[in-house]
Amino acid sequence: MSETLRFAVPDEPALGAELHAWVEHLYPLDRSLTGPGVRSTLDWIEEVLAPAEAPAVRRHEVPTGTEVLDWQVPREWHVHQAYIIGPDGKRVVDFAEHNLHLVGYSAPFRGTLRRADLLPHLHSLPDQPDLIPYRTSYYRETWGFCLPHRQLESLPDGEYQVVVDTELLAGHLSYAELLLPGEEPSEILFSAHVCHPSLANDNLSGIAVSVALARHLARQPRRLSYRFVWAPGTIGAITWLAQHREEARRVEGGLVLACLGAGSWHYKRSRRGDALIDRAVAHVLATRCREHQVRDFIPWGYDERQYGSPGFDLAVGQFSGTPHGTFPEYHTSADAPALVRPERLAGAVARLLEVCEVLEGEGRWLNLAPHGEPQLGRRGLYGSLGGAGGRDRELALLWVLNQSDGGHSLLDIAERAGVPFARVRWAAETLAEAGLLRSVDGPS
Ligand code: ZN
């Protein structure tokens, strides 16, 4: 028995390289709320997870127009081609070169426009003149192109030929989910959006980390059940909630995963603020990461807003690196695979597995010899734990004996003692083996 992590990633550098290759592979796909780019991404998720000793990933195709909570499933968007030809006959921008060039959900349009009439349809970033911005127009029917500001400024007067060969048609909204059942029906929910086109940190990092996490958890014995949802942002989470009201009741906690490829770790607490998931993430960050930040919930960000709407009130927080909107590459063409660090991707998986270990191992224990300290030396538990950390482990044994009055849980003890959860759990198991402790409500 040891205090090593059960769910530990065996080779973080190798995992980081693998996850980064996934990001590069998924980067060119033209994802949006709906359509072929999302389906190809979900196909890929299915493929990666197929060999794991796990139940299959489930696909859902929800027809356009379906009422979901206060929303409706939108029309499906397909892009055939989209470009602008300048007065000199050359292509100014072309969707085929970068999918950020076209405003997401652009309605079909063909026509010849003068520069002044074209300008209202062009989007650029004057403060970042070399980058292409990411823009969408999901709920207002229009069309537009995005391009570097420097290029926009250099467009000469004259006639521009615009081709937006897209279709908005009755189709489906696609999402995927995977349920990994454990001994108990209580579920931990992990959710990642799949609706961003060529954007690496804000989107692909979350997809890569969640898929790696699912693959790893699928191979472990589990007390809790784990559910993964890969769906387009907002409307996807709303659709999942509308179709999983029963399942939502079993969600004990969860995390929205996004922007995990760069910067120090950030945790945004769930709406409840003090749920077990909030405490577990904060504890792992406090004991493992020198630089990190824990913030309170605000109803802004990713799908924690939907999961944490008052009618559901699921304890779902958001785990990220530098949060969305606060890094300069956010929602621009600079959010490319080079921004995403392999070691951050693997590090995210490792931290999340540690969070799962806390959730798995949490429980209260009872000291069976509570009158005075039991004599640990006689049982080979004191002064014999040699090697580095022997003292720390002895102290962990004393903490667990002292606090295990049936009222304090292992996480309570880990927080109060300021020691990693894995060591406290090791202490509890060691004392239980010596007949000094018994489980009150956790795993025995
Ligand atoms: Zn985004």
Side-chain angles (χ1 to χ4, degrees):
M1 202 177 331
S2 77
E3 59 177 274
T4 52
L5 297 167
R6 293 168 199 193
F7 287 179
V9 173
D11 185 347
E12 280 195 40
L15 181 68
E18 184 183 21
L19 266 59
H20 197 269
W22 290 356
V23 167
E24 285 184 328
H25 173 75
L26 294 170
Y27 181 71
L29 299 178
D30 61 331
R31 280 163 295 270
S32 184
L33 282 192
T34 61
V38 176
R39 287 203 186 90
S40 308
T41 303
L42 300 180
D43 287 346
W44 174 88
I45 291 172
E46 268 181 38
E47 236 168 75
V48 173
L49 291 174
E53 308 90 81
V57 172
R58 266 193 76 195
R59 282 283 275 277
H60 299 261
E61 294 281 344
V62 186
T64 298
T66 305
E67 306 274 345
V68 284
L69 308 181
D70 196 43
W71 299 56
Q72 258 196 4
V73 170
R75 286 177 294 170
E76 201 172 303
W77 188 56
H78 290 240
V79 185
H80 304 297
Q81 51 178 345
Y83 55 84
I84 302 173
I85 296 179
D88 60 356
K90 289 187 182 148
R91 286 193 187 201
V92 178
V93 287
D94 191 344
F95 176 79
E97 271 180 18
H98 203 304
N99 59 35
L100 293 183
H101 275 316
L102 182 64
V103 170
Y105 260 65
S106 277
F109 177 81
R110 270 173 203 271
T112 304
L113 276 75
R114 290 140 54 101
R115 182 178 185 274
D117 299 325
L118 177 64
L119 281 180
H121 291 278
L122 300 185
H123 306 273
S124 67
L125 298 166
D127 294 339
Q128 294 169 296
D130 295 313
L131 306 182
I132 311 167
Y134 167 51
R135 294 275 187 280
T136 60
S137 186
Y138 293 140
Y139 303 106
R140 191 173 74 86
E141 195 165 322
T142 182
W143 60 268
F145 286 88
C146 302
L147 69 170
H149 191 68
R150 234 181 268 288
Q151 192 190 357
L152 184 146
E153 289 211 299
S154 71
L155 294 179
D157 278 332
E159 305 260 284
Y160 288 82
Q161 194 191 327
V162 176
V163 173
V164 182
D165 182 6
T166 59
E167 276 181 284
L168 283 160
L169 42 93
H172 295 83
L173 176 146
S174 320
Y175 71 91
E177 63 177 333
L178 172 68
L179 175 66
L180 302 174
E183 290 163 26
E184 293 177 18
S186 303
E187 290 185 11
I188 304 301
L189 175 72
F190 291 103
S191 175
H193 59 295
V194 294
C195 52
H196 287 36
S198 291
L199 292 162
N201 193 33
D202 177 12
N203 211 175
L204 297 177
S205 68
I207 296 175
V209 167
S210 57
V211 169
L213 185 64
R215 183 177 66 178
H216 201 88
L217 286 172
R219 295 170 178 163
Q220 311 298 325
R222 300 171 299 269
R223 179 169 73 91
L224 301 168
S225 302
Y226 295 85
R227 187 184 295 269
F228 290 80
V229 175
W230 295 280
T234 307
I235 188 69
I238 283 172
T239 303
W240 183 84
L241 284 165
Q243 298 188 330
H244 294 76
R245 283 178 184 264
E246 267 313 304
E247 290 85 347
R249 287 202 190 99
R250 294 199 288 270
V251 172
E252 211 168 74
L255 295 172
V256 167
L257 303 177
C259 301
L260 294 157
S264 56
W265 303 123
H266 276 69
Y267 179 59
K268 181 175 121 180
R269 292 189 189 100
S270 74
R271 176 180 189 262
R272 297 190 203 171
D274 61 350
L276 181 58
I277 186 78
D278 298 312
R279 293 176 56 206
V281 178
H283 174 72
V284 167
L285 292 180
T287 51
R288 294 285 180 192
C289 309
R290 260 175 304 151
E291 272 186 54
H292 71 274
Q293 204 186 328
V294 178
R295 300 173 294 150
D296 274 329
F297 177 83
I298 56 163
W300 181 251
Y302 293 104
D303 287 328
E304 62 280 4
R305 293 146 66 181
Q306 311 308 332
Y307 299 123
S309 54
F312 291 100
D313 190 26
L314 305 186
V316 174
Q318 187 216 310
F319 185 63
S320 69
T322 304
H324 66 96
T326 65
F327 53 95
E329 300 87 354
Y330 175 72
H331 280 192
T332 74
S333 51
D335 186 356
L339 177 67
V340 170
R341 307 298 313 150
E343 67 275 13
R344 302 307 290 172
L345 297 173
V349 177
R351 298 292 85 75
L352 290 165
L353 286 169
E354 267 190 69
V355 169
C356 294
E357 288 219 23
V358 174
L359 302 174
E360 289 275 323
E362 172 63 339
R364 292 171 301 162
W365 296 69
L366 191 65
N367 181 344
L368 300 175
H371 300 98
E373 278 181 0
Q375 211 188 342
L376 296 179
R378 173 155 59 84
R379 296 172 171 91
L381 295 176
Y382 205 83
S384 63
L385 298 171
R391 268 270 157 243
D392 292 342
R393 279 181 280 171
E394 283 169 2
L395 187 55
L397 293 172
L398 296 178
W399 268 116
V400 171
L401 281 170
N402 182 276
Q403 295 291 300
S404 291
D405 50 13
H408 299 102
S409 73
L410 293 189
L411 184 55
D412 292 335
I413 300 170
E415 284 174 341
R416 181 159 181 183
V419 301
F421 183 87
R423 186 178 305 151
V424 172
R425 195 200 54 206
W426 163 85
E429 287 170 351
T430 301
L431 292 166
E433 211 162 75
L436 292 170
L437 213 64
R438 84 173 158 78
S439 168
V440 175
D441 56 2
S444 51

